[in-house]
Coordinates of all heavy atoms in Angstrom, one line a residue:
M1 N 7.5 -7.1 18.2 CA 6.6 -7.5 17.1 C 6.7 -6.4 15.9 O 6.5 -5.2 16.3 CB 5.2 -7.5 17.6 CG 4.2 -8.0 16.7 SD 2.5 -8.3 17.3 CE 2.5 -7.9 19.0
A2 N 7.1 -6.7 14.8 CA 7.2 -5.8 13.7 C 5.8 -5.4 13.2 O 4.9 -6.1 13.0 CB 8.0 -6.4 12.5
K3 N 5.8 -3.9 13.0 CA 4.4 -3.4 12.6 C 4.6 -2.3 11.5 O 5.7 -1.8 11.4 CB 3.8 -2.7 13.8 CG 3.3 -3.7 14.9 CD 2.5 -3.0 15.9 CE 1.9 -4.0 16.9 NZ 1.2 -3.5 18.0
I4 N 3.6 -2.2 10.8 CA 3.5 -1.2 9.7 C 2.4 -0.3 10.1 O 1.3 -0.7 10.6 CB 3.2 -1.8 8.3 CG1 4.4 -2.5 7.9 CG2 2.8 -0.6 7.3 CD1 4.2 -3.2 6.5
T5 N 2.5 1.0 10.0 CA 1.5 2.0 10.3 C 0.8 2.5 9.1 O 1.5 2.8 8.1 CB 2.1 3.2 11.1 OG1 2.7 2.7 12.3 CG2 1.1 4.3 11.4
F6 N -0.5 2.5 9.1 CA -1.3 3.0 8.0 C -1.9 4.3 8.5 O -2.6 4.4 9.5 CB -2.4 2.0 7.5 CG -1.9 0.8 6.9 CD1 -1.5 -0.3 7.8 CD2 -1.7 0.6 5.5 CE1 -1.0 -1.5 7.2 CE2 -1.2 -0.6 5.0 CZ -0.9 -1.6 5.9
T7 N -1.8 5.4 7.6 CA -2.4 6.6 8.0 C -3.4 7.0 6.9 O -3.1 7.1 5.7 CB -1.4 7.7 8.2 OG1 -0.4 7.4 9.1 CG2 -2.0 9.1 8.6
T8 N -4.7 7.2 7.3 CA -5.7 7.5 6.4 C -5.6 9.0 5.9 O -4.9 9.7 6.5 CB -7.1 7.3 6.9 OG1 -7.3 8.3 8.0 CG2 -7.3 5.9 7.6
H9 N -6.3 9.3 4.9 CA -6.3 10.7 4.4 C -6.8 11.6 5.5 O -6.3 12.8 5.5 CB -7.2 10.7 3.1 CG -7.3 12.1 2.5 ND1 -6.2 12.6 1.7 CD2 -8.2 13.1 2.6 CE1 -6.5 13.8 1.3 NE2 -7.7 14.1 1.8
E10 N -7.6 11.2 6.3 CA -8.2 12.0 7.4 C -7.3 12.1 8.5 O -7.6 12.8 9.6 CB -9.5 11.5 7.9 CG -10.7 11.7 6.8 CD -10.6 10.6 5.7 OE1 -10.0 9.5 6.0 OE2 -11.1 10.8 4.6
G11 N -6.1 11.3 8.5 CA -5.2 11.4 9.7 C -5.4 10.3 10.7 O -4.6 10.3 11.7
A12 N -6.3 9.4 10.5 CA -6.4 8.3 11.5 C -5.3 7.3 11.3 O -4.9 7.1 10.2 CB -7.8 7.6 11.3
V13 N -4.8 6.8 12.4 CA -3.6 6.0 12.4 C -4.0 4.5 12.8 O -4.7 4.4 13.8 CB -2.5 6.5 13.3 CG1 -1.4 5.5 13.5 CG2 -2.0 7.9 12.8
H14 N -3.6 3.5 12.0 CA -3.9 2.2 12.3 C -2.6 1.4 12.2 O -1.8 1.6 11.2 CB -4.9 1.6 11.3 CG -6.2 2.3 11.3 ND1 -7.2 2.0 12.1 CD2 -6.5 3.4 10.5 CE1 -8.2 2.9 11.8 NE2 -7.9 3.8 10.9
Q15 N -2.4 0.4 13.1 CA -1.2 -0.4 13.0 C -1.5 -1.9 12.7 O -2.6 -2.3 13.1 CB -0.4 -0.3 14.3 CG 0.3 1.0 14.5 CD 1.4 0.9 15.5 OE1 1.2 0.3 16.6 NE2 2.6 1.5 15.2
A16 N -0.7 -2.5 11.9 CA -0.9 -3.9 11.6 C 0.4 -4.6 11.7 O 1.5 -4.2 11.3 CB -1.4 -4.0 10.1
E17 N 0.3 -5.8 12.3 CA 1.5 -6.6 12.5 C 2.0 -7.3 11.1 O 1.1 -7.6 10.3 CB 1.1 -7.8 13.4 CG 2.3 -8.7 13.8 CD 1.9 -9.8 14.7 OE1 0.8 -9.8 15.2 OE2 2.7 -10.7 14.9
I18 N 3.3 -7.2 11.0 CA 3.9 -7.7 9.7 C 3.9 -9.2 9.8 O 4.2 -9.8 10.8 CB 5.3 -7.2 9.6 CG1 5.3 -5.7 9.2 CG2 6.1 -8.0 8.5 CD1 6.7 -5.1 9.3
V19 N 3.4 -9.8 8.7 CA 3.5 -11.3 8.5 C 4.3 -11.4 7.2 O 3.9 -11.2 6.1 CB 2.2 -12.0 8.3 CG1 2.4 -13.5 8.1 CG2 1.3 -11.7 9.6
A20 N 5.6 -11.8 7.4 CA 6.6 -11.8 6.3 C 6.1 -12.7 5.2 O 5.6 -13.8 5.4 CB 8.0 -12.3 6.8
G21 N 6.2 -12.3 3.9 CA 5.8 -13.0 2.8 C 4.4 -12.7 2.3 O 4.1 -13.0 1.1
K22 N 3.6 -12.1 3.1 CA 2.3 -11.6 2.7 C 2.4 -10.3 1.9 O 3.4 -9.7 2.0 CB 1.3 -11.5 3.8 CG 0.8 -12.7 4.4 CD -0.4 -12.5 5.3 CE -1.1 -13.7 5.6 NZ -2.4 -13.5 6.3
S23 N 1.4 -9.9 1.1 CA 1.4 -8.7 0.4 C 1.0 -7.6 1.5 O 0.3 -7.8 2.4 CB 0.6 -8.6 -0.8 OG -0.8 -8.5 -0.5
L24 N 1.4 -6.4 1.2 CA 1.0 -5.2 2.0 C -0.6 -5.1 2.0 O -1.2 -4.8 2.9 CB 1.6 -4.0 1.4 CG 1.4 -2.7 2.3 CD1 1.9 -2.8 3.7 CD2 2.2 -1.5 1.6
M25 N -1.2 -5.4 0.8 CA -2.7 -5.4 0.8 C -3.2 -6.4 1.7 O -4.2 -6.2 2.3 CB -3.1 -5.6 -0.7 CG -4.5 -5.6 -1.0 SD -5.4 -7.2 -0.6 CE -4.9 -8.2 -2.0
Q26 N -2.6 -7.6 1.6 CA -3.2 -8.6 2.6 C -3.1 -8.3 4.0 O -4.0 -8.5 4.8 CB -2.4 -10.0 2.3 CG -2.8 -10.6 1.0 CD -1.9 -11.9 0.7 OE1 -0.6 -11.8 0.8 NE2 -2.5 -12.9 0.4
I27 N -1.9 -7.7 4.4 CA -1.8 -7.3 5.8 C -2.8 -6.2 6.1 O -3.4 -6.3 7.2 CB -0.3 -6.6 5.9 CG1 0.8 -7.6 5.6 CG2 -0.2 -5.9 7.3 CD1 1.0 -8.6 6.7
A28 N -3.1 -5.3 5.2 CA -4.1 -4.3 5.5 C -5.5 -4.9 5.6 O -6.2 -4.6 6.5 CB -4.1 -3.2 4.4
T29 N -5.8 -5.7 4.7 CA -7.2 -6.3 4.7 C -7.4 -7.3 5.8 O -8.4 -7.3 6.4 CB -7.6 -6.9 3.4 OG1 -6.6 -7.9 3.0 CG2 -7.7 -5.9 2.3
D30 N -6.3 -8.0 6.2 CA -6.4 -8.9 7.4 C -6.7 -8.2 8.7 O -7.3 -8.6 9.6 CB -5.1 -9.7 7.6 CG -4.9 -10.8 6.5 OD1 -5.8 -11.1 5.8 OD2 -3.8 -11.3 6.5
H31 N -6.2 -6.9 8.7 CA -6.4 -6.1 9.9 C -7.6 -5.0 9.7 O -7.7 -4.2 10.5 CB -5.1 -5.3 10.2 CG -4.1 -6.2 10.8 ND1 -3.2 -7.0 10.0 CD2 -3.6 -6.4 12.1 CE1 -2.4 -7.7 10.7 NE2 -2.6 -7.3 12.0
A32 N -8.3 -5.2 8.6 CA -9.5 -4.4 8.4 C -9.1 -2.9 8.4 O -9.8 -2.0 9.0 CB -10.6 -4.7 9.4
I33 N -8.0 -2.6 7.7 CA -7.5 -1.2 7.7 C -8.5 -0.5 6.7 O -8.7 -0.9 5.6 CB -6.1 -1.1 7.1 CG1 -5.1 -1.9 8.0 CG2 -5.7 0.4 7.0 CD1 -4.9 -1.4 9.4
P34 N -9.2 0.5 7.1 CA -10.1 1.3 6.3 C -9.4 2.0 5.1 O -8.3 2.5 5.4 CB -10.8 2.3 7.2 CG -9.9 2.5 8.3 CD -9.1 1.2 8.5
G35 N -9.9 2.0 3.9 CA -9.3 2.7 2.8 C -8.4 1.8 1.9 O -8.0 2.3 0.9
I36 N -8.4 0.5 2.2 CA -7.8 -0.5 1.2 C -8.8 -1.5 1.0 O -9.1 -2.2 1.8 CB -6.4 -1.0 1.7 CG1 -5.4 0.0 1.9 CG2 -6.0 -2.2 0.8 CD1 -4.0 -0.5 2.0
D37 N -9.2 -1.6 -0.3 CA -10.3 -2.5 -0.6 C -9.7 -3.9 -1.2 O -10.1 -4.9 -0.7 CB -11.2 -1.9 -1.6 CG -11.9 -0.7 -1.1 OD1 -12.0 -0.5 0.1 OD2 -12.2 0.2 -1.9
G38 N -8.8 -3.7 -2.1 CA -8.2 -5.0 -2.7 C -9.2 -5.8 -3.4 O -9.3 -7.1 -3.2
D39 N -10.1 -5.2 -4.2 CA -11.2 -5.9 -4.9 C -10.8 -7.0 -5.7 O -11.6 -8.0 -5.9 CB -12.0 -4.9 -5.7 CG -12.8 -3.9 -4.7 OD1 -12.9 -4.2 -3.6 OD2 -13.2 -2.8 -5.3
C40 N -9.7 -7.0 -6.4 CA -9.3 -8.1 -7.3 C -8.5 -9.2 -6.6 O -8.1 -10.2 -7.3 CB -8.5 -7.6 -8.5 SG -6.8 -7.1 -8.0
G41 N -8.3 -9.1 -5.3 CA -7.7 -10.2 -4.6 C -6.1 -10.2 -4.8 O -5.5 -11.2 -4.5
G42 N -5.6 -9.1 -5.3 CA -4.2 -9.1 -5.5 C -3.7 -9.4 -6.8 O -2.4 -9.7 -7.1
E43 N -4.5 -9.3 -7.8 CA -4.2 -9.6 -9.2 C -3.7 -8.5 -10.1 O -3.5 -8.5 -11.3 CB -5.4 -10.3 -9.9 CG -5.8 -11.6 -9.3 CD -4.8 -12.7 -9.4 OE1 -4.1 -12.8 -10.4 OE2 -4.6 -13.4 -8.4
C44 N -3.5 -7.4 -9.4 CA -3.0 -6.1 -10.1 C -4.1 -5.7 -11.1 O -3.6 -5.3 -12.2 CB -1.7 -6.3 -10.7 SG -0.8 -4.8 -11.0
A45 N -5.3 -5.9 -10.9 CA -6.3 -5.6 -11.9 C -7.4 -4.6 -11.5 O -8.4 -4.4 -12.2 CB -7.0 -7.0 -12.3
C46 N -7.3 -4.1 -10.2 CA -8.4 -3.2 -9.8 C -8.0 -1.8 -9.4 O -8.7 -0.8 -9.5 CB -9.2 -3.8 -8.7 SG -8.3 -3.9 -7.1
G47 N -6.8 -1.7 -8.8 CA -6.3 -0.4 -8.3 C -6.8 0.0 -7.0 O -6.6 1.2 -6.7
T48 N -7.7 -0.8 -6.3 CA -8.2 -0.4 -5.1 C -7.3 -0.6 -3.9 O -7.8 -0.7 -2.7 CB -9.6 -1.0 -4.9 OG1 -9.4 -2.4 -4.8 CG2 -10.5 -0.8 -6.0
C49 N -6.1 -0.8 -4.1 CA -5.1 -1.0 -3.0 C -4.0 0.0 -3.1 O -2.9 -0.1 -2.6 CB -4.5 -2.4 -3.1 SG -3.5 -2.7 -4.5
H50 N -4.4 1.2 -3.7 CA -3.4 2.3 -3.9 C -3.0 2.8 -2.5 O -3.7 3.1 -1.7 CB -4.1 3.4 -4.7 CG -3.2 4.6 -4.8 ND1 -3.9 5.9 -4.9 CD2 -2.0 4.8 -4.9 CE1 -2.9 6.8 -5.0 NE2 -1.8 6.2 -5.1
V51 N -1.6 2.9 -2.4 CA -1.0 3.5 -1.2 C 0.1 4.5 -1.6 O 0.6 4.4 -2.7 CB -0.4 2.4 -0.2 CG1 -1.5 1.6 0.3 CG2 0.6 1.6 -0.9
I52 N 0.4 5.4 -0.7 CA 1.4 6.4 -1.0 C 2.5 6.1 0.1 O 2.2 6.2 1.3 CB 0.9 7.8 -0.9 CG1 -0.2 7.9 -2.0 CG2 1.9 8.8 -1.1 CD1 -1.4 8.9 -1.6
L53 N 3.7 5.9 -0.4 CA 4.8 5.6 0.5 C 5.6 6.9 0.8 O 5.6 7.9 0.0 CB 5.8 4.6 -0.1 CG 5.1 3.3 -0.5 CD1 6.1 2.3 -1.1 CD2 4.4 2.6 0.7
D54 N 6.4 6.9 1.9 CA 7.4 7.9 2.1 C 8.5 7.7 1.1 O 8.8 6.5 0.7 CB 7.9 7.9 3.6 CG 6.9 8.3 4.6 OD1 6.0 9.1 4.2 OD2 7.0 7.8 5.7
A55 N 9.2 8.8 0.7 CA 10.1 8.7 -0.4 C 11.3 7.7 0.0 O 11.7 6.9 -0.9 CB 10.8 10.0 -0.7
K56 N 11.7 7.7 1.2 CA 12.8 6.7 1.6 C 12.3 5.3 1.5 O 13.2 4.4 1.2 CB 13.2 7.1 3.0 CG 12.2 6.8 4.2 CD 12.8 7.1 5.5 CE 11.8 7.2 6.6 NZ 10.8 6.1 6.6
D57 N 11.1 5.0 1.7 CA 10.6 3.7 1.6 C 10.3 3.3 0.1 O 10.7 2.2 -0.3 CB 9.3 3.5 2.4 CG 9.5 3.7 3.9 OD1 10.5 3.2 4.4 OD2 8.6 4.4 4.5
F58 N 9.8 4.2 -0.6 CA 9.5 4.0 -2.0 C 10.8 3.6 -2.8 O 10.8 2.6 -3.6 CB 9.0 5.3 -2.7 CG 8.7 5.1 -4.1 CD1 7.4 4.6 -4.5 CD2 9.5 5.6 -5.1 CE1 7.1 4.5 -5.9 CE2 9.2 5.5 -6.4 CZ 8.0 5.0 -6.8
S59 N 11.9 4.2 -2.5 CA 13.2 4.0 -3.1 C 13.7 2.6 -2.8 O 14.4 2.0 -3.6 CB 14.3 5.1 -2.9 OG 14.5 5.0 -1.5
K60 N 13.3 2.0 -1.7 CA 13.8 0.7 -1.3 C 13.0 -0.5 -2.0 O 13.4 -1.6 -2.0 CB 13.6 0.4 0.1 CG 14.6 1.3 1.1 CD 14.3 1.0 2.5 CE 14.8 2.0 3.4 NZ 14.3 1.9 4.7
M61 N 11.8 -0.1 -2.5 CA 10.9 -1.1 -3.0 C 11.2 -1.6 -4.4 O 10.6 -2.6 -4.9 CB 9.5 -0.7 -3.0 CG 8.9 -0.2 -1.6 SD 8.8 -1.7 -0.6 CE 8.7 -0.9 1.1
G62 N 12.0 -0.9 -5.1 CA 12.1 -1.3 -6.5 C 11.0 -0.6 -7.4 O 10.1 -0.2 -6.9
S63 N 11.2 -0.6 -8.7 CA 10.2 0.0 -9.6 C 9.1 -0.9 -9.7 O 9.2 -2.1 -9.8 CB 10.9 0.2 -10.9 OG 12.0 1.1 -10.8
P64 N 7.8 -0.2 -9.9 CA 6.7 -1.1 -10.3 C 6.9 -1.7 -11.6 O 7.5 -1.2 -12.5 CB 5.6 0.0 -10.4 CG 6.1 1.2 -9.7 CD 7.6 1.1 -9.8
K65 N 6.3 -3.0 -11.7 CA 6.3 -3.7 -13.0 C 5.4 -3.1 -14.0 O 4.5 -2.2 -13.6 CB 6.0 -5.1 -12.8 CG 7.2 -5.9 -12.0 CD 7.0 -7.3 -12.0 CE 8.1 -8.0 -11.3 NZ 7.8 -9.0 -10.3
A66 N 5.4 -3.5 -15.2 CA 4.6 -2.8 -16.3 C 3.1 -2.9 -16.0 O 2.4 -1.9 -16.1 CB 4.9 -3.5 -17.6
D67 N 2.6 -4.0 -15.5 CA 1.1 -4.1 -15.2 C 0.7 -3.2 -14.0 O -0.3 -2.6 -14.1 CB 0.7 -5.5 -15.0 CG 1.5 -6.3 -14.0 OD1 2.5 -5.7 -13.4 OD2 1.1 -7.4 -13.6
E68 N 1.6 -3.1 -13.0 CA 1.3 -2.1 -11.9 C 1.3 -0.7 -12.4 O 0.5 0.1 -12.1 CB 2.3 -2.4 -10.7 CG 2.0 -1.4 -9.6 CD 3.0 -1.6 -8.4 OE1 3.8 -2.5 -8.5 OE2 2.9 -0.8 -7.5
E69 N 2.4 -0.5 -13.2 CA 2.5 0.9 -13.7 C 1.2 1.3 -14.5 O 0.8 2.4 -14.5 CB 3.7 1.0 -14.6 CG 4.1 2.3 -15.2 CD 4.3 3.4 -14.1 OE1 5.0 3.2 -13.2 OE2 3.7 4.5 -14.3
Q70 N 0.7 0.4 -15.3 CA -0.5 0.6 -16.1 C -1.6 1.0 -15.2 O -2.4 1.9 -15.4 CB -0.8 -0.5 -17.0 CG -1.9 -0.3 -18.0 CD -2.2 -1.4 -18.9 OE1 -1.5 -2.5 -18.8 NE2 -3.0 -1.2 -19.9
M71 N -1.8 0.2 -14.1 CA -3.0 0.4 -13.1 C -2.8 1.8 -12.5 O -3.7 2.6 -12.3 CB -3.1 -0.6 -12.1 CG -3.6 -2.0 -12.6 SD -5.2 -1.9 -13.4 CE -6.2 -1.2 -12.2
L72 N -1.6 2.0 -12.1 CA -1.2 3.3 -11.4 C -1.5 4.5 -12.3 O -1.9 5.6 -11.8 CB 0.2 3.4 -10.9 CG 0.5 2.6 -9.7 CD1 2.1 2.4 -9.5 CD2 -0.1 3.2 -8.4
S73 N -1.3 4.3 -13.6 CA -1.5 5.4 -14.5 C -3.0 5.9 -14.6 O -3.3 7.0 -15.1 CB -0.9 5.1 -15.9 OG -1.8 4.1 -16.5
M74 N -3.9 5.0 -14.3 CA -5.3 5.2 -14.2 C -5.8 5.7 -12.8 O -7.0 5.9 -12.6 CB -6.1 4.0 -14.7 CG -5.8 3.6 -16.0 SD -6.8 2.2 -16.6 CE -6.0 0.8 -15.8
T75 N -4.9 5.9 -11.9 CA -5.3 6.2 -10.5 C -5.3 7.7 -10.4 O -4.2 8.4 -10.5 CB -4.3 5.6 -9.5 OG1 -4.2 4.2 -9.7 CG2 -4.6 5.9 -8.1
P76 N -6.5 8.3 -10.1 CA -6.6 9.8 -10.1 C -5.7 10.4 -9.1 O -5.1 11.5 -9.3 CB -8.0 10.0 -9.7 CG -8.7 8.7 -10.0 CD -7.8 7.6 -9.9
E77 N -5.5 9.8 -7.9 CA -4.8 10.5 -6.8 C -3.3 10.1 -6.8 O -2.6 10.2 -5.8 CB -5.3 10.1 -5.5 CG -6.8 10.7 -5.3 CD -7.3 10.5 -3.9 OE1 -6.8 11.1 -3.0 OE2 -8.1 9.6 -3.8
R78 N -2.8 9.6 -7.9 CA -1.4 9.1 -8.0 C -0.4 10.2 -7.6 O -0.5 11.3 -8.1 CB -1.1 8.5 -9.4 CG 0.3 8.0 -9.4 CD 0.7 7.4 -10.8 NE 2.0 6.8 -10.7 CZ 2.6 6.2 -11.7 NH1 2.0 6.2 -13.0 NH2 3.7 5.6 -11.6
Q79 N 0.6 9.8 -6.8 CA 1.6 10.6 -6.5 C 2.9 10.0 -6.9 O 3.0 8.8 -7.3 CB 1.6 11.0 -5.0 CG 0.3 11.7 -4.6 CD 0.4 12.2 -3.2 OE1 1.4 12.4 -2.5 NE2 -0.8 12.4 -2.6
T80 N 4.1 10.7 -6.8 CA 5.3 10.2 -7.3 C 5.8 8.9 -6.5 O 6.6 8.1 -7.0 CB 6.5 11.1 -7.2 OG1 6.5 11.7 -5.9 CG2 6.2 12.3 -8.2
T81 N 5.3 8.8 -5.3 CA 5.7 7.6 -4.5 C 4.5 6.6 -4.3 O 4.4 5.9 -3.4 CB 6.2 8.0 -3.1 OG1 5.2 8.8 -2.4 CG2 7.5 8.8 -3.3
S82 N 3.5 6.6 -5.3 CA 2.4 5.7 -5.2 C 2.8 4.3 -5.6 O 3.7 4.1 -6.4 CB 1.3 6.2 -6.2 OG 0.7 7.3 -5.7
R83 N 2.2 3.4 -4.9 CA 2.3 1.9 -5.3 C 1.0 1.2 -5.1 O 0.1 1.8 -4.4 CB 3.3 1.2 -4.5 CG 4.8 1.6 -4.6 CD 5.4 1.2 -6.0 NE 5.2 -0.1 -6.4 CZ 6.1 -1.1 -6.1 NH1 7.3 -0.8 -5.6 NH2 5.9 -2.3 -6.4
L84 N 0.8 0.1 -5.7 CA -0.3 -0.8 -5.4 C 0.2 -1.8 -4.3 O 1.2 -2.5 -4.4 CB -0.7 -1.6 -6.6 CG -1.3 -0.7 -7.7 CD1 -1.7 -1.6 -8.9 CD2 -2.4 0.2 -7.3
A85 N -0.6 -1.8 -3.2 CA -0.1 -2.5 -2.1 C -0.1 -4.1 -2.3 O 0.7 -4.8 -1.6 CB -1.0 -2.3 -0.8
C86 N -0.9 -4.6 -3.2 CA -0.8 -6.0 -3.5 C 0.4 -6.4 -4.2 O 0.8 -7.6 -4.3 CB -2.1 -6.4 -4.4 SG -2.1 -5.8 -6.1
Q87 N 1.2 -5.5 -4.8 CA 2.5 -5.8 -5.4 C 3.7 -5.6 -4.6 O 4.8 -5.7 -5.0 CB 2.6 -4.9 -6.7 CG 1.4 -5.1 -7.6 CD 1.2 -6.6 -8.1 OE1 2.2 -7.1 -8.6 NE2 0.1 -7.2 -7.8
I88 N 3.5 -5.3 -3.2 CA 4.6 -5.2 -2.4 C 4.5 -6.3 -1.3 O 3.6 -6.5 -0.6 CB 4.5 -3.9 -1.5 CG1 4.6 -2.7 -2.5 CG2 5.5 -3.8 -0.4 CD1 4.3 -1.3 -1.9
K89 N 5.6 -7.1 -1.4 CA 5.7 -8.2 -0.4 C 6.4 -7.7 0.9 O 7.4 -7.0 0.8 CB 6.6 -9.4 -1.0 CG 6.5 -10.6 -0.2 CD 7.2 -11.8 -0.8 CE 6.5 -12.4 -1.9 NZ 7.1 -13.7 -2.4
V90 N 5.8 -7.9 2.0 CA 6.3 -7.3 3.2 C 7.3 -8.3 3.9 O 7.4 -9.5 3.7 CB 5.1 -7.0 4.2 CG1 4.2 -6.0 3.7 CG2 4.5 -8.3 4.7
S91 N 8.2 -7.6 4.7 CA 9.2 -8.3 5.4 C 9.4 -7.6 6.7 O 9.0 -6.4 6.9 CB 10.6 -8.3 4.7 OG 11.1 -7.1 4.7
T92 N 10.0 -8.2 7.7 CA 10.2 -7.6 9.0 C 11.1 -6.4 8.9 O 11.1 -5.6 9.8 CB 10.8 -8.7 10.0 OG1 11.9 -9.2 9.5 CG2 9.7 -9.7 10.4
E93 N 11.8 -6.3 7.8 CA 12.7 -5.1 7.6 C 11.8 -3.9 7.4 O 12.3 -2.8 7.5 CB 13.6 -5.2 6.4 CG 14.6 -6.3 6.6 CD 15.4 -6.6 5.4 OE1 15.3 -5.9 4.3 OE2 16.2 -7.6 5.4
M94 N 10.6 -4.0 7.2 CA 9.7 -2.9 7.0 C 9.1 -2.4 8.4 O 8.2 -1.5 8.4 CB 8.5 -3.2 6.1 CG 8.9 -3.6 4.7 SD 7.5 -3.9 3.7 CE 8.4 -4.4 2.2
D95 N 9.6 -3.0 9.4 CA 9.1 -2.5 10.7 C 9.2 -1.0 10.9 O 10.2 -0.4 10.7 CB 9.9 -3.2 11.8 CG 9.4 -2.9 13.2 OD1 8.2 -2.7 13.4 OD2 10.2 -3.0 14.2
G96 N 8.1 -0.4 11.3 CA 8.1 1.0 11.5 C 7.7 1.9 10.3 O 7.6 3.1 10.4
M97 N 7.6 1.2 9.2 CA 7.2 1.9 7.9 C 5.8 2.5 8.1 O 4.9 2.0 8.6 CB 7.2 0.9 6.7 CG 7.1 1.6 5.4 SD 7.4 0.4 4.1 CE 5.8 0.0 3.6
N98 N 5.6 3.7 7.5 CA 4.4 4.4 7.5 C 3.9 4.5 6.1 O 4.6 4.9 5.1 CB 4.6 5.9 8.0 CG 3.3 6.5 8.4 OD1 2.2 5.9 8.5 ND2 3.3 7.8 8.6
V99 N 2.7 4.0 5.9 CA 2.0 3.9 4.6 C 0.8 4.9 4.7 O 0.0 4.9 5.6 CB 1.5 2.5 4.4 CG1 0.6 2.5 3.1 CG2 2.6 1.6 4.2
H100 N 0.7 5.8 3.7 CA -0.4 6.7 3.6 C -1.5 6.3 2.6 O -1.2 5.7 1.5 CB 0.1 8.1 3.1 CG 1.3 8.6 4.0 ND1 1.1 9.3 5.1 CD2 2.7 8.3 3.9 CE1 2.3 9.5 5.7 NE2 3.2 9.0 4.9
L101 N -2.7 6.5 3.0 CA -3.9 6.1 2.1 C -4.4 7.3 1.4 O -4.5 8.4 2.0 CB -4.9 5.4 3.0 CG -4.4 4.2 3.8 CD1 -5.5 3.7 4.7 CD2 -3.9 3.2 2.8
P102 N -4.9 7.1 0.1 CA -5.5 8.2 -0.6 C -6.9 8.5 0.0 O -7.4 7.8 0.7 CB -5.5 7.6 -2.0 CG -5.6 6.2 -1.9 CD -4.8 5.8 -0.7
E103 N -7.4 9.6 -0.5 CA -8.7 10.0 -0.1 C -9.7 9.0 -0.6 O -10.7 8.6 0.2 CB -9.1 11.4 -0.5 CG -10.5 11.8 0.0 CD -10.7 13.3 -0.3 OE1 -9.9 13.9 -1.0 OE2 -11.7 13.8 0.3
F104 N -9.6 8.5 -1.8 CA -10.5 7.6 -2.4 C -9.7 6.5 -3.2 O -8.7 6.8 -3.7 CB -11.4 8.3 -3.5 CG -12.2 9.4 -2.9 CD1 -11.9 10.7 -3.2 CD2 -13.3 9.2 -2.1 CE1 -12.6 11.8 -2.7 CE2 -14.1 10.3 -1.6 CZ -13.7 11.5 -1.9
Q105 N -10.3 5.3 -3.2 CA -9.7 4.3 -4.1 C -10.6 4.4 -5.4 O -11.7 4.9 -5.5 CB -9.9 2.9 -3.4 CG -9.0 2.7 -2.2 CD -7.5 2.7 -2.5 OE1 -7.1 2.7 -3.6 NE2 -6.7 2.5 -1.5
M106 N -10.0 3.8 -6.5 CA -10.8 3.8 -7.7 C -12.1 3.1 -7.7 O -12.3 2.3 -7.0 CB -9.9 3.2 -8.9 CG -8.7 4.0 -9.2 SD -8.1 3.6 -10.9 CE -7.6 1.9 -10.8
Ligands
FES201 S1 -5.8 -5.7 -5.1 FE1 -6.4 -5.2 -7.0 S2 -4.8 -4.1 -7.8 FE2 -4.1 -4.5 -5.8

């Protein structure tokens, strides 16, 4: 079973099963992962699904589109490998990926 690991700012680790074709935000909220709100339902309009990827994973995802980049630019805890989880479609190739959560969402 392919899984993604979410690590909170406090170091708590949660695992979620990958369902190919869903967004990373949907996977997180389906599994009640704390720290991802997804308030806009995945419309790239709230920024409450901010995640921080490992550099090796970030480089595989492709660049954020303009609307995601705009939301990220307003994210106080943005890091160089930040993404919005609603804009990442998951696949079983992401098995074992570790996703870090910021201390706060916007
Ligand atoms: S869920 Fe709102 S920007 Fe991702």
